[in-house]
Amino acid sequence: METEQDRQPEVAPEERLGWWHHSHPTFAGITGFFAGMLFVTAVPGFFAGVLRLLFSYETAEKLFPFVLLALALPIAMLVKRKTRRFAQFMFVGMVVTAAVVLGVTSLVLYFMVDA
């Protein structure tokens, strides 16, 4: 007895999974947004950890503002047309994450000082 799945032709794995990288309308948006969230949270923490491993506390504290040079990556991605949509959503993810972190921090400080 032959089922519907048995009648389907076998598709190569790269054809089965590769379509959504190029043609799915939300792929760049979703990946860009989450990349922005990760960029805001992980890059400064990783940079501070590496600085602290390599230098003394005072030197690492002086060098930490150089983490802003990491913003060159999303800005450069805005220039090229192929990565522009990804970079736009990456900036949205960065801004939303920063706003949430600052909002929660301000509320926590407000309730701690008020108590």
Side-chain angles (χ1 to χ4, degrees):
M1 185 166 143
E2 194 172 311
T3 64
E4 183 66 31
Q5 287 180 340
D6 293 338
R7 285 186 230 141
Q8 300 269 337
E10 190 63 33
V11 179
E14 58 272 357
E15 290 178 17
R16 205 175 7 173
L17 299 176
W19 67 270
W20 57 279
H21 284 111
H22 303 291
S23 64
H24 199 278
T26 60
F27 180 77
I30 290 173
T31 55
F33 181 81
F34 286 110
M37 289 176 63
L38 187 64
F39 194 83
V40 165
T41 56
V43 170
F46 178 76
F47 188 70
V50 169
L51 285 177
R52 187 62 187 106
L53 285 174
L54 297 177
F55 303 106
S56 67
Y57 184 78
E58 292 80 21
T59 307
E61 191 174 299
K62 290 177 188 173
L63 293 175
F64 184 73
F66 286 109
V67 75
L68 293 176
L69 292 175
L71 287 175
L73 174 69
I75 291 171
M77 287 182 3
L78 278 172
V79 174
K80 191 169 180 181
R81 185 182 178 285
K82 191 169 186 169
T83 58
R84 189 172 297 144
R85 180 172 159 87
F86 179 85
Q88 289 170 342
F89 280 100
M90 187 172 176
F91 273 113
V92 170
M94 291 166 64
V95 169
V96 168
T97 303
V100 168
V101 167
L102 292 175
V104 170
T105 302
S106 64
L107 281 174
V108 167
L109 286 175
Y110 173 76
F111 287 121
M112 286 178 65
V113 170
D114 194 39

